[in-house]
Amino acid sequence: MTDTTPPQATEPALPVSPRAGDDTVTPSGQPGWMRWTVLALAAAAVATGWSAWQTQQRVHSLEQELVRRQQDSQGQATEARVAAKQAQELSREAAARATLLETRLAEVALQRTQVEDLVKNLSQSRDENLLADIESSLRVAAQQASLTGSADPIVAALQSADERLTRTRQPRLDNVRRAIAKDLDRVKATRVADLVTLGIRLDEAIRLIDEVPLLNQPEATMAKGRPVPAPSRPALRNAQATKGASAPGAASEAASGEPGWGEQVLGWISGSARTVWDETRGLVRLTRVDRPEAMLMSPEQGFFMRENMKLRLLNARVALLSRQTHTATADLQATQQAVSRYFDTSSRKTQLLQSLLAEVIGQGQHTVVPRPDDTLAALIAVNGGR
């Protein structure tokens, strides 16, 4: 910036002429006030130039400050743009990371749900397998009990199922445990007959069928105050022949000893009389006949009736072994009715046969082992409630 102050002009000295009053006159003849005016103007011009220069300096400094500030502003704007770009990039990265985190969180939540479902399914499948295993073991035990006639397989299966359910500690299986306890008490309280013993008694009854007397047979005679089985007619004849043949031998033996022939004759006569009396008692018998069909039965019919009764008892034994209680009871009752109708009930063997049949009928009702129906129903209810 150049200095704009005008140069001072050199004027020639004017002659001051004296004037009247206060006015002075220069030697050149000009007034003094003009000089002062010029000086004032010169001073004003100098001041104006100075102020103008100062103003120009200030404007220049302001321009420089503005330029500097503008440059600073441009730098800050550049930095701000860079920072904004970086912030935008960071925000994008943050958004991408947030999206990735959300995706991973969704995956983790999905995996957690899948794991929970898997654990639940595993737990349910374990319980289902446990219940299915218990049900199958109970059904197998029921089949074994029906085949063997013993309640031990069902008791063992119920106790094992109770122990396994106790270890699982599942509250929803309490109904099954209560049903198991109920079935276990019922099975333990059931009295089951021994089929081996019943079979032995039926064999004894089959053996007695051939020995019990019929009503139409002259079976018993009184000897020593109690009935004894009387021999048949051929047996009596053989006995008479034997007695007849042995009497002379006995007499000869007695002759060699002390007894005489008179005693031998008396012995022979008394033996003959006893034989005749026994034969007469065998021919005549007084019996109360309540069932005429039993008295009119021929020996051949009696034989076939005994064989038929044996077949019925064998069928009853097979039915007991196969757990067909009703069939066995029906055959035993039919045999019992036949014994009461066609056989002599006053005979000891007949009474023994009737007692055997009654005992087998009474104990045969306990050959059926109760099934664990309550436990099976509870297992089906639990499986159906899923």
Side-chain angles (χ1 to χ4, degrees), residues 23-36:
D23 296 332
T24 61
V25 179
T26 61
S28 63
Q30 294 180 351
W33 63 272
M34 292 181 66
R35 183 178 180 182
W36 293 103

Side-chain angles (χ1 to χ4, degrees), residues 74 183 191 214 326 353:
Q74 289 178 357
D183 287 335
R191 186 178 63 183
L214 293 171
H326 299 289
L353 177 62

